[in-house]
Amino acid sequence: MKKEIIIAGFGGQGVLSMGKILAYSGLMEDKEVTWMPAYGPEQRGGTANVTVIISEEKISSPILNAYDVVIALNQQSLDKFECKVKPGGILIYDNYGIHHAPTRTDINVYNVAAMDASLEMQNSKSYNMIILGALLKVCPVVTLESVLLGLKKSLPERHHHLIPMNEQAILKGMELIK
Amino acid sequence: MEKEIRLMKGNEALAMAAIRYGADAYFGYPITPQSEVLETLMAEQPWETTGMVVLQAESEVSSINMVYGAAAAGKVVLTSSSSPGISLMCEGLSYIAASELPALVINVMRGGPGLGTIQPSQADYFQATKGGGHGDYHFIVLAPSSVQEMCDFVGLGWDLAFKYRTPAMILADGVVGQMMEKVVLPPQRPRHTDEEVRQRCPWAAMGRTPDRGRNVVTSLELDSAKMEVNNERFQATYRQIEANEVRFETYGTEDCDYLIVAFGSIARISQKAVELARKEGIKIGIIRPITLWPFPHDEVKRLASKSKGVLVVELNAGQMIEDVRLAVNGTVKVEHYGRLGGIVPTPDEILDAFKEKIYQK
């Protein structure tokens, strides 16, 4: 099974680090992974995106024109990437700050109120982990155990006390998917 | 020993590989998209563990001349930069080649010409394979397409550089530099002791010993007759490298009707285009030159001769295509698809270009 995912949003929303955690989790399951960020001027202009591919087999292109899963966390990203979900694929977005909701009917669309949830948890930094939880619920590309193991491996020890908070946020994100 | 698997950016893998393969020194100056090489080395502080020197020079000109000096002493040395910085190093590269010294130079290419852009490019193919600096010289050019190859080619580059006493270059692009993939790091290779350097580099200028004359490292020879002999020796080495060190990889060439030639990250994007094409029943194969110099002329010629057409895909306006056309020598149609200035094509754009330029229904 190969999953081709793009995560796009504002810089600072944790788009790149969420992709990194996903890639680490794939590594924990001994899968092939590729993490390809947009590193150019668009990153400096406010929007950021990262392509993450997790596969049982060797991965060819790190650059794609269609995705199994698109996670779009602002209006520009939604406008740009809604059309790039493969038919039958998944689109995850957060309605917060969105003026034009997605319109496609040939894909599975999930509105995840992660911003509201992170405010409720009084921790805006949990935002990307809530989204990750939602992803794991609708598309279990890696297990929760692998994510936690990946966090442990990738974070320096002085940040390990934050892992339970991240786990909570992931579980919250899973709950948000009805 | 358990394999050490890490998730890393290509640039970080270059830095880790340099330490692991027993580098004596890195000299460099930061430039996007390869600044993580110097950053990672500074964070790893190898001077505390292996004794490797890591120095940010005041410019690329200084960096390459520090490399020249260290190489002359038989040291395992490297520098890295991106396109405009490599242009500054070309004089030094010519001197290092003419002095028959081993060194590793990494170019993580960005869009040019001039200061250009920080986005990926392959527009330094001519510079890397045809010279860059002045005079009749070549160096070995390795083109990685994965983070693992970024790591492996550091060791391979030095092995070849020392074997033939010539500089080697890793010619990567911003995609391979910036993406993260799984990488198996090599075990720590110890740095060579002075005694080992004297053994393996009897030419090294590291202090005269009573049993031999003075070692002089220079590219200058005012006597033309002697300079011609020097040049003939360089050329003989190049012929040996051409005979022994050609490397390439193929995909789907067993049953293909058409051929794509591409290197570095673009070979992988092209591979996806080939996967898409095969779903439509169009059989394309890919040859990915790993050594850009020496170029795999014979294999390109062999595969092209059984194809109905060849598409060369590059992030430039048409550079490697000249070597492909020389190899094919007019027997098959060879067309080019390139994106410029830092734009990277998607797999379906490559497939569309193939259909427009090569495919006959």
Side-chain angles (χ1 to χ4, degrees):
Chain A
M1 187 191 68
K2 177 155 84 176
K3 285 291 172 200
E4 299 174 327
I5 302 165
I6 190 162
I7 310 163
F10 289 119
Q13 270 177 322
V15 163
L16 296 184
S17 54
M18 176 184 162
K20 217 177 261 189
I21 290 163
L22 202 52
Y24 262 108
S25 313
L27 191 69
M28 294 303 118
E29 298 184 2
D30 206 24
K31 291 179 172 155
E32 297 296 324
V33 295
T34 291
W35 175 94
M36 180 69 219
Y39 69 89
E42 67 266 51
Q43 190 184 4
R44 288 151 178 84
T47 67
N49 73 65
V50 61
T51 301
V52 178
I53 307 170
I54 300 180
S55 171
E56 312 282 349
E57 280 155 30
K58 208 172 162 202
I59 294 162
S60 57
S61 177
I63 311 273
L64 301 168
N65 39 267
Y67 305 88
D68 299 305
V69 182
V70 167
I71 299 175
L73 300 178
N74 63 15
Q75 188 70 54
Q76 292 110 297
S77 304
L78 193 56
D79 294 345
K80 189 170 172 188
F81 292 111
E82 181 184 353
C83 61
K84 304 211 167 150
V85 183
K86 291 179 195 170
I90 292 168
L91 172 64
I92 294 172
Y93 74 108
D94 180 355
N95 204 36
Y96 189 90
I98 296 292
H99 315 291
H100 322 288
T103 54
R104 276 178 68 178
T105 52
D106 62 332
I107 57 173
N108 300 300
V109 179
Y110 297 92
N111 171 19
V112 179
M115 183 58 87
D116 293 342
S118 71
L119 293 174
E120 215 173 274
M121 292 172 83
Q122 297 186 320
N123 187 350
S124 60
K125 283 183 181 164
S126 64
Y127 180 76
N128 62 347
M129 290 296 101
I130 297 173
I131 295 287
L132 179 61
L135 169 71
L136 295 183
K137 182 72 183 282
V138 299
C139 177
V141 54
V142 289
T143 64
L144 177 59
E145 291 71 37
S146 304
V147 174
L148 298 176
L149 193 62
L151 280 171
K152 212 167 165 185
K153 286 250 178 178
S154 60
L155 288 174
E157 211 148 297
R158 64 179 190 280
H159 290 145
H160 278 192
H161 67 279
L162 297 171
I163 292 178
M165 182 271 281
N166 281 292
E167 183 178 7
Q168 257 187 348
I170 293 169
L171 292 172
K172 180 78 195 169
M174 290 176 157
E175 279 170 30
L176 289 177
I177 300 288
K178 303 281 168 351
Chain B
M1 204 182 82
E2 204 184 326
K3 276 197 281 184
E4 190 181 351
I5 301 171
R6 302 272 282 270
L7 185 70
M8 266 187 200
K9 281 190 173 188
N11 290 334
E12 294 165 345
L14 290 170
M16 292 305 293
I19 299 170
R20 292 296 179 90
Y21 283 111
D24 292 307
Y26 170 96
F27 305 106
Y29 187 81
I31 179 171
T32 307
Q34 63 78 57
S35 296
E36 293 88 353
V37 179
L38 185 52
E39 276 173 21
T40 307
L41 286 169
M42 286 299 184
E44 289 290 321
Q45 305 191 330
W47 53 90
E48 300 285 353
T49 52
T50 70
M52 175 187 178
V53 171
V54 181
L55 185 73
Q56 178 176 334
E58 67 268 45
S59 74
E60 289 85 350
V61 176
S62 299
S63 307
I64 195 68
N65 283 293
M66 289 174 181
V67 168
Y68 186 12
K75 297 295 183 189
V76 177
V77 60
L78 82 158
T79 184
S80 66
S81 189
S82 180
S83 308
I86 297 292
S87 291
L88 287 167
M89 292 183 183
C90 280
E91 180 200 40
L93 271 167
S94 171
Y95 280 53
I96 294 170
S99 303
E100 298 174 279
L101 294 176
L104 182 64
V105 177
I106 298 163
N107 181 1
V108 183
M109 290 178 281
R110 57 189 246 175
L115 213 43
T117 172
I118 61 174
Q119 301 288 73
S121 168
Q122 296 180 323
D124 304 347
Y125 178 92
F126 281 155
Q127 185 193 52
T129 61
K130 314 290 176 194
H134 57 281
D136 265 331
Y137 77 94
H138 275 294
F139 47 74
I140 295 161
V141 183
L142 300 167
S145 73
S146 65
V147 175
Q148 186 65 56
E149 283 189 343
M150 288 287 252
C151 173
D152 297 345
F153 288 1
V154 171
L156 177 64
W158 272 321
D159 288 347
L160 295 173
F162 275 88
K163 183 175 176 188
Y164 294 100
R165 285 180 61 183
T166 172
M169 176 179 274
I170 295 178
L171 191 69
D173 58 64
V175 174
V176 195
Q178 291 295 325
M179 76 179 171
M180 285 206 301
E181 286 186 322
K182 201 154 95 169
V183 54
V184 180
L185 291 178
Q188 182 67 51
R189 211 192 254 186
R191 288 176 51 230
H192 295 284
T193 62
D194 281 0
E195 197 39 52
E196 285 168 342
V197 175
R198 281 199 178 87
Q199 289 288 329
R200 75 180 201 137
C201 309
W203 43 264
M206 54 186 302
R208 188 180 166 185
T209 50
D211 57 326
R212 63 159 172 81
R214 182 171 281 124
N215 279 345
V216 178
V217 174
T218 178
S219 67
L220 179 70
E221 178 50 71
L222 290 176
D223 181 342
S224 293
K226 286 184 183 164
M227 195 60 201
E228 185 173 47
V229 172
N230 286 354
N231 268 279
E232 283 165 356
R233 191 175 62 248
F234 305 156
Q235 293 302 320
T237 302
Y238 301 149
R239 297 298 89 75
Q240 262 190 12
I241 295 171
E242 284 170 339
N244 301 333
E245 305 300 346
V246 170
R247 285 168 169 79
F248 57 85
E249 191 181 74
T250 57
Y251 171 79
T253 48
E254 312 75 33
D255 63 343
C256 63
D257 297 319
Y258 302 92
L259 188 66
I260 284 179
V261 191
F263 69 97
S265 60
I266 303 311
R268 288 181 53 180
I269 302 173
S270 299
Q271 189 180 325
K272 182 88 183 179
V274 167
E275 290 165 16
L276 297 173
R278 284 186 177 249
K279 282 183 190 161
E280 297 178 25
I282 306 169
K283 288 179 183 166
I284 313 173
I286 295 181
I287 176 165
R288 172 173 77 91
I290 291 173
T291 49
L292 301 181
W293 191 87
F295 188 77
H297 287 279
D298 293 346
E299 192 61 14
V300 167
K301 182 182 174 185
R302 191 182 74 78
L303 291 171
S305 68
K306 50 175 205 161
S307 310
K308 293 184 206 163
V310 179
L311 185 68
V312 183
V313 188
E314 302 178 79
L315 294 184
N316 60 46
Q319 299 193 13
M320 182 173 68
I321 189 174
E322 294 194 359
D323 284 324
V324 175
R325 282 192 169 141
L326 278 173
V328 171
N329 201 16
T331 53
V332 185
K333 180 178 175 183
V334 179
E335 295 291 339
H336 187 263
Y337 176 59
R339 296 302 300 265
L340 311 176
I343 299 289
V344 181
T346 57
D348 60 350
E349 285 171 341
I350 293 174
L351 185 54
D352 288 348
F354 166 81
K355 286 177 180 167
E356 184 197 319
K357 291 165 187 267
I358 297 291
Y359 187 52
Q360 305 137 356
K361 283 206 178 93

